[in-house]
Amino acid sequence: MKRHIAILTALLLSACGGPALPVREFLQDKQNDTKFNELSTKFKKEHGCDKLEKLYKFTRLEKPTVKDLSEIMPIFGLKADDAKNVNKVYNLDLSVMNKYNCDDVGNKDQLIKELVQYCDTKYHDTPDKQSDCEYYLKQSIFVIDEHHALTWSILDKRQAIQNVKDTLETGIVDNVHKIYPLPEDTDKLLSDFSTSELLNARKEVLGTYDGNCYGNLCENEVTDDKTVTRLNAARILYSFCKSFSGYFGDQSECACYAHQTYKKVNYKNLIYIDEQSKLPTSKKAEFDQIFKKCKQKLEKQRYGEVSGY
């Protein structure tokens, strides 16, 4: 009943503009109401249309939860419990959606013939009402969920459903970020860090700064949070790699460098690097060697060999 009421609401909204047969009058007719429910019950969702429906419903959630996420994980070939694994969540293969279609769904054609015949028989002497009848009954087949409808005209066109998939992809990513928000300005580190490493690094407190916070040293300079975390270490070491003489690395080299060094420093090391703009003597030889190895690794991946330097 709840789904039926929601469908009627969608019909009421879509029928604005003065049709020959108002939707209320159409559905107050017992025969029409029975046919509407009959078609909805008969409709077989195949070829992945039900999966697109489920994804669509997920993207419409204002405050998605891990439980909501677990319900769509099997669509991507994963287990529901994988919704708790942030690395798997951030690496969902969204291209899986391309194999699902709604443009030739199950017994759609058979049901359309049935409803056309029904409307022709019932309203054969009133063409306008016959047309409205067909439109209303098609909604019984192509409503996506009880709150949001993708109309027949969308689902019946290949290009339109591709546009829907593109919208789904954006919506899925947005809602994943709501459930597992990444710390700001950490995308540049993802080539070497896993998502869970970044989130865990933010939880590990190294110290509390006793000066004026700015740049990468403190967790939140805007709110005057002077907490220094392991994530701040990764940010500082990445920035140092990018900016200071002897390195001037590119993004991939410095993400590698930060990943290999961020657990090798303590709070005092960090404030020294931040305040002095150079490495502590106790770390310089080791960290220089780490940068060299990162550079060599990436050159070998790209060229099959390393430059002589």
Side-chain angles (χ1 to χ4, degrees):
M1 177 59 70
K2 185 179 178 183
R3 179 177 185 274
H4 187 62
I5 292 172
I7 292 172
L8 303 192
T9 302
L11 284 169
L12 284 167
L13 292 173
S14 64
C16 295
L21 180 62
V23 64
R24 290 185 184 279
E25 180 182 329
F26 176 77
L27 291 169
Q28 282 172 356
D29 184 303
K30 183 64 177 175
Q31 284 184 323
N32 292 344
D33 184 68
T34 299
K35 179 56 69 174
F36 187 98
N37 288 310
E38 180 184 319
L39 290 167
S40 181
T41 302
K42 285 182 178 180
F43 182 43
K44 296 177 183 177
K45 297 178 225 179
E46 298 175 359
H47 303 297
C49 194
D50 57 331
K51 294 179 175 63
L52 291 176
E53 289 180 354
K54 190 171 286 189
L55 293 176
Y56 178 78
K57 186 173 182 179
F58 175 76
T59 65
R60 306 304 300 179
L61 296 172
E62 291 285 334
K63 296 180 179 179
T65 65
V66 173
K67 183 177 182 300
D68 297 320
L69 187 57
S70 70
E71 294 177 3
I72 69 168
M73 294 300 278
I75 296 174
F76 300 100
L78 298 169
K79 298 176 181 177
D81 203 46
D82 287 332
K84 300 174 184 176
N85 186 321
V86 67
N87 292 323
K88 289 185 177 181
V89 169
Y90 263 81
N91 288 284
L92 289 176
D93 181 9
L94 298 181
S95 67
V96 165
M97 290 190 294
N98 291 330
K99 69 181 182 181
Y100 302 137
N101 292 293
C102 285
D103 55 308
D104 185 20
V105 181
N107 56 347
K108 179 196 70 176
D109 291 341
Q110 173 190 333
L111 295 183
I112 288 179
K113 288 179 181 178
E114 181 178 333
L115 71 87
V116 167
Q117 183 177 2
Y118 171 85
C119 293
D120 180 56
T121 301
K122 188 171 182 66
Y123 298 106
H124 65 275
D125 57 346
T126 315
D128 287 345
K129 288 186 177 182
Q130 182 179 330
S131 177
D132 289 334
C133 170
E134 291 179 13
Y135 175 75
Y136 294 148
L137 289 183
K138 281 175 182 174
Q139 304 305 307
S140 69
I141 303 173
F142 296 107
V143 168
I144 284 291
D145 64 50
E146 61 194 27
H147 298 299
H148 302 278
L150 294 180
T151 64
W152 173 81
S153 61
I154 289 178
L155 291 178
D156 200 46
K157 296 178 181 177
R158 291 175 184 270
Q159 185 56 48
I161 194 61
Q162 185 57 53
N163 293 340
V164 170
K165 289 177 185 177
D166 293 341
T167 302
L168 287 179
E169 184 169 330
T170 301
I172 291 167
V173 171
D174 287 346
N175 272 4
V176 164
H177 285 187
K178 288 179 185 178
I179 297 170
Y180 294 115
L182 271 182
E184 186 179 354
D185 194 33
T186 53
D187 288 352
K188 60 195 177 188
L189 299 174
L190 283 173
S191 59
D192 271 72
F193 286 78
S194 68
T195 310
S196 60
E197 282 180 310
L198 293 174
L199 296 175
N200 289 333
R202 194 176 199 176
K203 298 174 184 176
E204 185 180 349
V205 176
L206 300 180
T208 303
Y209 193 52
D210 58 359
N212 294 323
C213 273
Y214 62 91
N216 295 310
L217 182 59
C218 297
E219 187 57 25
N220 195 328
E221 60 181 283
V222 176
T223 60
D224 202 30
D225 181 353
K226 296 188 177 185
T227 302
V228 180
T229 68
R230 186 65 68 188
L231 181 60
N232 295 123
R235 286 170 165 152
I236 286 172
L237 288 160
Y238 175 88
S239 179
F240 181 83
C241 173
K242 291 281 290 182
S243 305
F244 291 98
S245 178
Y247 292 166
F248 295 119
D250 64 23
Q251 180 170 320
S252 296
E253 291 167 349
C254 291
C256 171
Y257 177 79
H259 191 222
Q260 295 301 315
T261 57
Y262 85 116
K263 288 187 176 181
K264 297 179 182 291
V265 291
N266 57 31
Y267 171 70
K268 289 186 176 182
N269 294 152
L270 281 182
I271 62 173
Y272 183 93
I273 296 169
D274 188 69
E275 293 178 352
Q276 300 296 320
S277 299
K278 61 183 180 180
L279 293 172
T281 303
S282 61
K283 296 294 180 182
K284 189 174 189 315
E286 179 187 4
F287 284 18
D288 285 352
Q289 187 63 24
I290 287 173
F291 177 75
K292 183 177 180 180
K293 287 182 178 178
C294 281
K295 191 173 181 69
Q296 288 175 338
K297 180 186 76 170
L298 291 164
E299 284 190 346
K300 192 165 186 179
Q301 287 174 355
R302 184 172 181 82
Y303 306 119
E305 57 182 303
V306 298
S307 59
Y309 56 84

